[in-house]
Amino acid sequence: MGSWGELSAGPFTLFFFKDMVPNDLVCLFQDEMYSPSIGRASTRYVLGGEPDHDVEFFEYKATGRLIADRLDILGFDIDSALEVLRQSIGENLDSPPWFEGMGRIDPESVKRWEAEQAALAELDTDRWLKAIASAAATQSKAVFEPPDQEPVIGSRKWLLELIPDETENAGWHRLRLVTHAAPDIEVILDVSDLVHGGWLVKDELDTMPSVAQEWWTAESSARSPIVVLTEGSTDAEFLRAGLKLLYPHLTDLVRFLDPRARSEGSAGALVNTVKAFAAAGIRNRIVAAFDDDGAASDVLKQLKAVALPPNIVLMQFPAVPISDYLVAQLPPLGSQHRPTGDRSNARISGCIEMYLGSDTIRGDDNVTLLMDLTFHHRDPGHYEARFADKRSKKKVQENYRRKVRIAEARGGPLPHQDWTAMATVLKRIISAHKTAS
């Protein structure tokens, strides 16, 4: 008979597999998401006349929100999934009756087809997502739908099967849609039966995701981790620390070039690295992250004449809102560097230190700035920040490292810490290829 495993999200069973677990499904999880437990056999299996007993369960668990983030990086983003759903609803609605031309027709088949067409006519992607969210909140796997029978119109099985199995990556699109509709849903990869059947080794389960990730990276550059190139070693250090704290579930899918691999740190050096990667035919997805300052803008012009492959994307750190405590540092109103008094949409950008949080560039009195800023007007409402001396810059870096150590010791970012700008930069990096396409 063999042994079976499954991947489910709340009440939705999305993948079945027999005698082996597909590496691509394992790659959805991290080693830290392995969650073995002991429970009663009756909660999973039909015992017949056998007495109930304790049994070990071997599972990987994560919230839908974390799995959605990982799916995005692995190439199954929500926009693509929604487009597949939109097309599938339209094709189901426009398709002729399956019984057309069959001679004698069962009245019940006609009745079902008409009811299904009426339901599809009222359905769009938003209503589909709301129905999935409702099912996730109100149903459990105990609401059983026989696999070999036509699903009840409007049921969770009917909704999922609107994307037919023949659709390329159907299961992945279904999973991405479910995690979008119900981000707090629990996604579980259950391999218990495969362990009990001898198909998997219990002692290897705690590292199975990282081993599977190595395989998938070798098999497909499109699924390989994103490699981030930065101007300097501190940029990589600070971004890596921010990723670990803000997006710990993505640390195996976003990697930063070892700063020791480059002897020089500057925008010009980063341009040379990008050219070298392009010439070498590196297939990994590459994001080259530049400071948003004049120096980086000047050297980026050199790359305009270079035909970069689509796997290499260039970006500059995004402009972020000017905090209230920096308003006093703005150039005088009416000067050539500040022609307008409207600060509602004012933005600021610069080097990585400008994104480490307001709590890193303020003194102990929460007011005194630990850096002198010179604002250079680029366009109305956009200012570039520069350090006036290296000592202030070093102090900001020390503050950030201390903030990171405190957050790591407490198990994550603390409520009073400011990570807003860092999160903005990391989101830009994570979505860089999608934005560029």
Side-chain angles (χ1 to χ4, degrees):
M1 292 180 60
S3 301
W4 290 85
E6 67 175 38
L7 185 140
S8 61
F12 308 99
T13 300
L14 298 164
F15 292 92
F16 282 109
F17 43 90
K18 182 180 179 181
D19 296 344
M20 62 171 290
V21 53
N23 278 320
D24 48 6
L25 291 183
V26 182
C27 286
L28 284 173
F29 300 85
Q30 292 176 298
D31 294 345
E32 296 78 9
M33 297 173 180
Y34 177 50
S35 180
S37 61
I38 297 177
R40 302 297 286 173
S42 58
T43 62
R44 301 287 182 89
Y45 308 111
V46 177
L47 299 179
E50 182 183 350
D52 199 3
H53 57 282
D54 286 340
V55 63
E56 286 186 285
F57 299 130
F58 305 98
E59 300 170 320
Y60 300 87
K61 298 180 179 181
T63 65
R65 184 174 285 102
L66 301 190
I67 294 299
D69 284 347
R70 293 179 65 79
L71 283 168
D72 285 345
I73 290 184
L74 294 172
F76 302 105
D77 60 271
I78 186 57
D79 291 338
S80 299
L82 285 170
E83 182 57 30
V84 169
L85 175 61
R86 189 175 296 108
Q87 292 180 6
S88 297
I89 292 175
E91 290 171 0
N92 278 281
L93 182 60
D94 296 336
S95 62
W98 61 268
F99 48 78
E100 191 173 72
M102 293 181 60
R104 185 176 180 182
I105 301 173
D106 178 12
E108 288 300 317
S109 297
V110 176
K111 184 178 179 181
R112 177 179 174 85
W113 181 82
E114 291 175 343
E116 193 164 38
Q117 289 296 297
L120 288 168
E122 296 294 322
L123 191 65
D124 57 20
T125 55
D126 287 341
R127 290 188 176 93
W128 189 95
L129 291 171
K130 289 178 181 177
I132 289 292
S134 176
T138 61
Q139 297 183 15
S140 68
K141 285 188 178 181
V143 182
F144 181 68
E145 295 182 90
D148 298 327
Q149 294 183 15
E150 284 189 308
V152 175
I153 295 174
S155 68
R156 67 174 190 259
K157 186 171 185 287
W158 180 82
L159 291 166
L160 290 178
E161 290 183 356
L162 287 178
I163 301 178
D165 292 338
E166 299 77 35
T167 303
E168 185 178 8
N169 296 316
W172 296 95
H173 291 309
R174 292 168 182 161
L175 176 59
R176 185 62 187 89
L177 290 163
V178 169
T179 55
H180 179 71
D184 294 325
I185 203 168
E186 188 171 49
V187 181
I188 299 176
L189 179 68
D190 185 356
V191 298
S192 304
D193 200 34
L194 276 70
V195 176
H196 295 309
W199 298 97
L200 293 176
V201 179
K202 174 182 175 180
D203 293 340
E204 296 177 355
L205 295 180
D206 58 346
T207 58
M208 191 163 69
S210 56
V211 172
Q213 182 63 54
E214 292 178 5
W215 167 85
W216 210 6
T217 298
E219 286 291 309
S220 171
S221 61
R223 307 283 186 256
S224 63
I226 295 172
V227 176
V228 183
L229 310 178
T230 59
E231 291 189 22
S233 59
T234 52
D235 296 43
E237 173 195 348
F238 296 156
L239 290 169
R240 186 186 297 109
L243 184 77
K244 183 178 179 182
L245 286 165
L246 299 176
Y247 302 98
H249 56 292
L250 300 181
T251 53
D252 58 327
L253 298 179
V254 181
R255 299 177 183 174
F256 297 85
L257 182 68
D258 188 339
R260 293 170 295 181
R262 285 170 45 211
S263 58
E264 184 182 0
S266 67
L270 180 52
V271 167
N272 292 334
T273 302
V274 170
K275 290 179 179 178
F277 273 50
I282 303 296
R283 297 179 61 196
N284 286 73
R285 290 173 294 168
I286 307 292
V287 176
F290 291 82
D291 292 351
D292 189 6
D293 56 21
S297 298
D298 289 341
V299 298
L300 279 170
K301 295 176 183 177
Q302 301 175 26
L303 289 175
K304 287 186 176 180
V306 179
L308 296 176
N311 64 303
I312 299 180
V313 175
L314 311 178
M315 61 158 278
Q316 288 184 276
F317 295 149
V320 295
I322 295 181
S323 302
D324 291 340
Y325 68 91
L326 287 179
V327 170
Q329 300 295 311
L330 288 173
L333 183 62
S335 70
Q336 62 174 335
H337 295 307
R338 186 181 170 193
T340 175
D342 180 17
R343 298 194 303 269
S344 60
N345 295 313
R347 315 286 285 178
I348 188 172
S349 60
C351 57
I352 187 63
E353 284 75 17
M354 284 306 304
Y355 302 87
L356 304 184
S358 59
D359 45 355
T360 67
I361 56 177
R362 284 188 285 182
D364 296 334
D365 58 4
N366 209 36
V367 176
T368 305
L369 290 176
L370 295 172
M371 57 192 266
D372 295 324
L373 300 174
T374 304
F375 289 86
H376 296 272
H377 179 258
R378 302 163 101 205
D379 55 58
H382 191 163
Y383 299 88
E384 176 191 330
R386 294 182 181 179
F387 283 95
D389 62 77
K390 291 184 178 180
R391 287 185 304 171
S392 295
K393 185 174 183 178
K394 199 173 187 71
K395 181 62 176 177
V396 172
Q397 294 173 349
E398 292 172 355
N399 285 347
Y400 181 72
R401 292 186 177 106
R402 181 167 58 252
K403 180 170 82 168
V404 168
R405 289 195 297 271
I406 293 173
E408 289 178 340
R410 301 292 180 87
L414 304 181
H416 68 274
Q417 293 180 332
D418 179 15
W419 295 92
T420 306
M422 176 58 69
T424 299
V425 174
L426 291 171
K427 287 178 182 177
R428 178 72 64 88
I429 290 172
I430 291 167
S431 63
H433 284 86
K434 177 184 174 183
T435 303
S437 60

